[in-house]
Every structure is written in C-alpha cells, then in structure tokens.
Amino acid sequence: MRNRVRYSLLALGLVGSTATFADCKDLDVKGAWSRATAPVVNVGAVYFDLTNTTSQAVTLIGGSTPVSDTVELHRREMKNGMMGMRHMHAVKVAAGQKLEFQPGKYHVMLIGLKHPLKAEQVFPLSLQCADGSQRKIEVLVHKIMQ
Amino acid sequence: MYLNLRSILILLGSILIFIGVISKALPASSSPTINGMIFSEPKMLDAFKLKTADGQLFTRKDLLGHWTFIYFGYTHCPDACPIAMHQLKVLEKRLQKTAPDQKLSFVMVTVDPQRDTPQIMQQYVNHFNPAFRGLSGDPKEIEAFAKQLYVAYGRGEENTAIGYVMYHTDTITIINPNGQFVAAFSSPHYPRNMAQDFLKIIKYP
C-alpha cells in the first residue's frame, strides 16, 4: 500500500513535470524581427532563433497577433526547380533543438495585415503550441528587408 | 612487355577521350563565369504584351536602349520576393557607382495576375524604388513571356489563409539594350556578386 502511494506520487510528479517542462512559454526565442511592408501587401513574415531549452519536445502549431487576422507557420521549399512555401500545420521541436526561423527557411506568416508594418514598430506575437500553451514575444520591424 | 605496352596505349586512349569529353562539356574559354547562366549568343525575344499601372502596354520596344533586370514574383509572397526586390534595389545603387555609363531598368512581373493588378504591382515596387516598373497582364501573355526567359511557375497548395501560394523560378533575367535575353542570375541574389557579374556580362561577348 505504501509502495502504491509512492508510485502514484511518482506518477503524479512525472505528469506534473511533463506539463511544466514542455510548456511553450519556456521556449528560448531571440531576435524576433519582421520587415516593413508596402501598403498594398497584406502578408508579412516574422523571423527569430528558437531553441527548445526544455527537456521535452514541443509542437508549434501557429499563433496570433493584433497586427494580422491570421498567423501561420510556413517553410520555404523547392519543387521541380521552383521556389515556394508550405504551410506547416505542426512544427515539432525536439528537446535541445534549435530551429531557425530565417529568410529562406521557416517563417511565421502574418496573413491579413490590418495596417502596413512600419520600420521601428514593435508588435506582440503569441506563438501557440499543440498543448495549448503560448510563448509571447515582441517583434521589431526593420526597414532593411533582408 | 606486351601487356605493359597495351596498358599504356589504353591509358593514353582513355586520357584523349576524357579530354575530348571535358572540352565539349565546358563552355568556350572566353565565356565568363557568373552565378547563373550566360548565353554565348544573345537570344531574340518573341513579341509579348504586358500591362503597366497607367493602362499602357509594355512590349519589346520597352526593353530597348537600356539594360533590363526582370524578376518574376507576386505580392502575396512575404519571404523570397521582398528579399529579391530589396537586393535589386541595392544592386541598382551599387551599379550607379560601378557602371555609371550604363542605362538600367528594373522590372517585376507578377506570376499571380489573378490577384496582382498592374496597379498593385506598381505600388508594390514603389516600396523599393519608385523608378522600378511593376507589371501584370493577361495570364497567357505572362506565361508565354516567362517561358521565353526560362521562368516557370505554378499554383501551390490552397490550405492556407492566403488562399493559395505560388511556386516560381527564383532567377533574375538580364536583357541587353537591344532587347535580347543575355543572362540570368540564380539565387541567392547577393547584390555585390550580381554587380560583379553584371560587369562581366556587359563586356561579353
């Protein structure tokens, strides 16, 4: 009986630690930026370096921001010698893995911009993980576009 | 000894064949090396007609008297297209210093005429440099024009809030002042490299 209680406590502890360590809000996100957009453009891209410093894999599924209607994760890809991009519905980041959201690789896609993004503007972006947790970041808009 | 002589003859024969193959595979020695392709003979273009924001046609005549750099992209493209257009903007500034005698023109043609009108294209390129031209037009005309310049494109997936994405060849086409297709830059389009390559292109052939 005592053992059973001990195991139950241990199991609870493991469940607890899973919830704690795989939380999206503990992701290390550095240098988030976006580029200024032309008035006619209704899409934007956000870039940063993301490292999963937690001890478990997390799965990013999208996000939200006040500056656009929709937020999606996209990845640049080549197909038949042509360049395009793919909407990634889930991006798994293993424990300890670094994922580059950089031009030509992954980017967070802002769709339905409410206003053009202006240089020096800072806006909030919330990255959403599959478990419902979120990582809130601030994005700086650069005039330089590469 | 017989065997040795035969081996030597086989070896010599192999070397000659190898040299023959290599010399055919390599471009003529006078052709410069650029990040992309360069034709030994400029390629004439078939007639085409695209549309400008002020309702005018953009045809072969608009390519005469200056060098033209053409990029095919679309405005719902948040990553590759603004990067390429920014790189063309930097290239233009660079060439003003390194090739001041050359007249230059920069053009972006949409691969997504369904969403990009000529007006939208011009407003898009104005963001980079108001002297750039933004063009759209009849989908069949754009397709035929792109094909002449070895540019391919097509619709991608539709399960995105953008509606659909486009796939397109990420090259920058170079047209000489006679309106002939002479070269194309492959990506990545680093302005410094493109500027150096352009100086090779204007001296060749």
Side-chain angles (χ1 to χ4, degrees):
Chain A
M1 181 60 193
R2 185 182 284 177
N3 271 349
R4 192 179 291 172
V5 170
R6 192 179 287 164
Y7 286 131
S8 303
L9 285 173
L10 186 64
L12 275 174
L14 282 175
V15 169
S17 64
T18 305
T20 307
F21 290 115
D23 199 316
C24 200
K25 75 175 177 357
D26 293 325
L27 291 173
D28 182 34
V29 181
K30 285 198 174 79
W33 67 279
S34 188
R35 59 174 80 78
T37 58
V40 284
V41 170
N42 75 350
V43 293
V46 177
Y47 307 99
F48 44 76
D49 279 335
L50 180 146
T51 310
N52 181 4
T53 49
T54 74
S55 57
Q56 296 197 18
V58 295
T59 303
L60 290 166
I61 56 167
S64 61
T65 176
V67 302
S68 73
D69 297 332
T70 312
V71 172
E72 291 178 352
L73 307 175
H74 281 242
R75 192 178 73 187
R76 182 96 73 89
E77 68 169 19
M78 294 295 289
K79 200 162 75 179
N80 303 326
M82 295 181 287
M83 183 192 55
M85 57 185 186
R86 177 169 294 281
H87 177 194
M88 307 297 289
H89 296 274
V91 177
K92 192 174 176 183
V93 194
Q97 188 189 350
K98 185 176 175 182
L99 203 60
E100 288 177 303
F101 280 76
Q102 297 297 347
K105 296 176 181 173
Y106 284 96
H107 58 267
V108 173
M109 179 97 181
L110 310 175
I111 302 167
L113 286 178
K114 290 167 186 168
H115 305 283
L117 298 176
K118 297 218 181 308
E120 308 299 323
Q121 177 188 350
V122 177
F123 64 86
L125 171 69
S126 190
L127 297 171
Q128 179 88 42
C129 277
D131 66 354
S133 61
Q134 292 184 340
R135 173 73 165 92
K136 290 180 166 50
I137 59 173
E138 302 257 281
V139 181
L140 173 64
V141 180
H142 288 203
K143 189 183 177 206
I144 301 291
M145 297 180 212
Q146 59 182 359
Chain B
M1 187 60 199
Y2 169 72
L3 266 182
N4 277 348
L5 186 61
R6 201 172 71 165
S7 306
I8 289 166
L9 284 175
I10 289 172
L11 184 67
L12 278 175
S14 307
I15 289 170
L16 285 175
I17 290 168
F18 180 71
I19 289 170
V21 168
I22 288 290
S23 62
K24 276 193 180 159
L26 290 176
S29 55
S30 56
S31 161
T33 306
I34 66 164
N35 177 32
M37 60 170 185
I38 180 163
F39 294 119
S40 50
E41 279 185 30
K43 186 172 174 276
M44 290 299 295
L45 294 180
D46 295 335
F48 63 88
K49 52 177 195 283
L50 304 175
K51 282 183 187 150
T52 68
D54 50 12
Q56 303 294 310
L57 289 179
F58 184 96
T59 65
R60 275 196 297 199
K61 277 191 295 181
D62 296 286
L63 299 176
L64 300 176
H66 50 76
W67 291 88
T68 310
F69 296 79
I70 306 175
Y71 183 72
F72 286 82
Y74 67 116
T75 66
H76 282 71
C77 159
D79 188 46
C81 306
I83 293 172
M85 293 311 293
H86 175 72
Q87 286 164 328
L88 284 180
K89 173 188 167 169
V90 177
L91 173 68
E92 195 261 347
K93 280 193 180 154
R94 200 172 264 275
L95 289 179
Q96 277 182 11
K97 290 181 193 148
T98 60
D101 300 336
Q102 303 297 330
K103 281 189 183 171
L104 309 174
S105 170
F106 294 81
V107 171
M108 180 175 173
V109 180
T110 185
V111 295
D112 185 17
Q114 190 178 324
R115 290 184 295 201
D116 291 335
T117 62
Q119 291 75 20
I120 287 175
M121 288 306 294
Q122 189 58 49
Q123 287 180 60
Y124 183 81
V125 299
N126 284 349
H127 182 66
F128 300 93
N129 185 337
F132 289 5
R133 313 281 303 265
L135 305 175
S136 185
D138 179 79
K140 286 207 171 78
E141 286 285 339
I142 293 175
E143 202 179 325
F145 181 53
K147 202 171 168 187
Q148 292 196 65
L149 303 174
Y150 304 152
V151 168
Y153 57 89
R155 245 182 180 197
E157 63 175 2
E158 303 195 352
N159 62 346
T160 161
I162 328 166
Y164 57 89
V165 301
M166 296 297 295
Y167 283 73
H168 56 104
T169 311
D170 190 30
T171 55
I172 290 169
T173 304
I174 296 111
I175 307 287
N176 71 13
N178 298 323
Q180 297 163 313
F181 180 20
V182 290
F185 293 141
S186 303
S187 63
H189 306 298
Y190 297 126
R192 183 191 299 258
N193 296 351
M194 289 194 292
Q196 286 167 353
D197 285 348
F198 180 67
L199 295 183
K200 295 179 196 169
I201 292 167
I202 59 177
K203 288 180 195 146
Y204 177 81

